[in-house]
Amino acid sequence: MRYFRIREDKALGYTGFVNAAPKWGLPGVDTCPACKATWANTTIAYPSVDLTPVTALANFEEARAEPIEEYERMRELVRPLLPPSALVQPGSCFGPLVGNAQGRFGQFVSNYSYVLLVRREALEKLQAEGLRGLKGCRMEVRFRQRNSPELLELEILPVGRLHPRCLPPNLEPPCPRCGRQGLSMPKEPVLDAATLPSHLDLFRLADMTTVIVCTERFAEVCQRLGLDGIVFLPLPTEG
């Protein structure tokens, strides 16, 4: 099986831009007592997760950093609502994208490298082809134009990892308390084949969550159906 990284296709001249943010999120961590880092990762998103059953919902509406004890308390409030084995980190986001949009859009939209939007009709075509794990989530986005497309945010689960061969040999392990690891994208990324999911045709890497990965089957179907807006960059794998 071959894999590809998905990026926005800027050569097509589409002008569409979605200026939006998730409705809810966990706070970042203010000075972890173990690693001393202040940080958040807002690229992990579960747009299908509805936090309205959570008490003190307003606490999840403001982006901020909190002491780690408060982050951990809030994390446990949302954990029962998440998919099984969901990866959660400081700054993780939930619920629909809220904002506005304008311009001319392709079948896929990826204004931000870690977010992938798709027209409803395109998603239905992909699902009809039997591609695995594709979930489109509604958005609360207002278009500043008539005849606007119906865009959905794809919920892209974080699974799979980079192969240790492409990482620094002296890389520190993740912080045992907050989970942070100071990892930068390698110049020549290689996927660890043993960690890649067998049940998903679209996912993001758990240790580099800005990277959206698809299978060759996903890429082939998109190209055959003429679904534009994104390009596919080959990612080598190693067992």
Side-chain angles (χ1 to χ4, degrees), residues 2-6 200-203 212-219 232 235:
R2 294 191 300 157
Y3 294 87
F4 298 85
R5 182 178 184 180
I6 291 178
L200 298 174
D201 283 304
L202 184 72
F203 56 96
I212 298 177
V213 179
C214 73
T215 62
E216 62 182 323
R217 185 164 183 242
F218 182 97
F232 302 97
L235 281 173

Side-chain angles (χ1 to χ4, degrees), residues 6-9 12 14 105-109 116-129 131 134 154 214 217-232:
I6 291 178
R7 300 296 297 268
E8 179 185 15
D9 188 351
L12 297 178
Y14 287 117
F105 295 90
Q107 298 298 305
F108 286 99
V109 181
L116 186 60
L117 313 180
V118 63
R119 290 178 181 252
R120 177 179 289 278
E121 60 269 25
L123 176 60
E124 291 172 350
K125 290 178 181 179
L126 294 172
Q127 292 172 330
E129 293 283 337
L131 293 178
L134 300 185
L154 289 170
C214 73
R217 185 164 183 242
F218 182 97
E220 185 277 327
V221 169
C222 288
Q223 292 168 341
R224 174 163 50 82
L225 295 177
L227 303 181
D228 62 5
I230 52 176
V231 293
F232 302 97

Side-chain angles (χ1 to χ4, degrees), residues 9-237:
D9 188 351
K10 298 182 179 180
L12 297 178
Y14 287 117
T15 60
F17 188 80
V18 177
N19 182 20
K23 194 166 191 175
W24 303 295
L26 288 171
V29 165
D30 183 5
T31 316
C32 170
C35 68
K36 310 304 180 186
T38 295
W39 71 288
N41 180 7
T42 59
T43 64
I44 298 176
Y46 299 98
S48 70
V49 172
D50 181 6
L51 292 194
T52 53
V54 176
T55 57
L57 186 59
N59 289 340
F60 294 87
E61 296 175 353
E62 179 186 356
R64 65 195 188 281
E66 293 278 6
I68 195 167
E69 293 81 6
E70 176 64 6
Y71 156 71
E72 291 170 340
R73 183 190 71 82
M74 294 177 65
R75 179 191 62 194
E76 296 312 304
L77 289 176
V78 305
R79 196 182 291 280
L81 304 173
L82 301 182
S85 304
L87 175 65
V88 185
Q89 292 182 345
S92 294
C93 299
F94 315 99
L97 288 173
V98 180
N100 54 68
Q102 62 181 343
R104 189 167 61 90
F105 295 90
Q107 298 298 305
F108 286 99
V109 181
S110 185
N111 298 150
Y112 306 99
S113 63
Y114 52 89
V115 178
L116 186 60
L117 313 180
V118 63
R119 290 178 181 252
R120 177 179 289 278
E121 60 269 25
L123 176 60
E124 291 172 350
K125 290 178 181 179
L126 294 172
Q127 292 172 330
E129 293 283 337
L131 293 178
R132 301 161 298 177
L134 300 185
K135 179 188 289 188
C137 303
R138 67 177 185 86
M139 306 192 301
E140 296 180 6
V141 170
R142 177 177 298 179
F143 286 82
R144 298 175 176 175
Q145 63 205 48
R146 295 180 179 179
N147 303 319
S148 59
E150 183 179 3
L151 294 178
L152 302 172
E153 181 183 3
L154 289 170
E155 183 165 81
I156 305 175
L157 302 179
V159 286
R161 293 183 175 274
L162 294 168
H163 195 278
R165 182 175 67 81
C166 69
L167 302 178
N170 58 347
L171 181 66
E172 294 288 335
C175 172
R177 181 72 187 271
C178 71
R180 181 182 183 275
Q181 186 175 38
L183 182 61
S184 299
M185 185 67 177
K187 291 183 179 179
E188 298 181 1
V190 178
L191 302 181
D192 186 345
T195 69
L196 302 180
S198 60
H199 63 294
L200 298 174
D201 283 304
L202 184 72
F203 56 96
R204 70 175 75 246
L205 296 182
D207 56 355
M208 188 60 62
T209 53
T210 59
V211 177
I212 298 177
V213 179
C214 73
T215 62
E216 62 182 323
R217 185 164 183 242
F218 182 97
E220 185 277 327
V221 169
C222 288
Q223 292 168 341
R224 174 163 50 82
L225 295 177
L227 303 181
D228 62 5
I230 52 176
V231 293
F232 302 97
L233 308 178
L235 281 173
T237 62

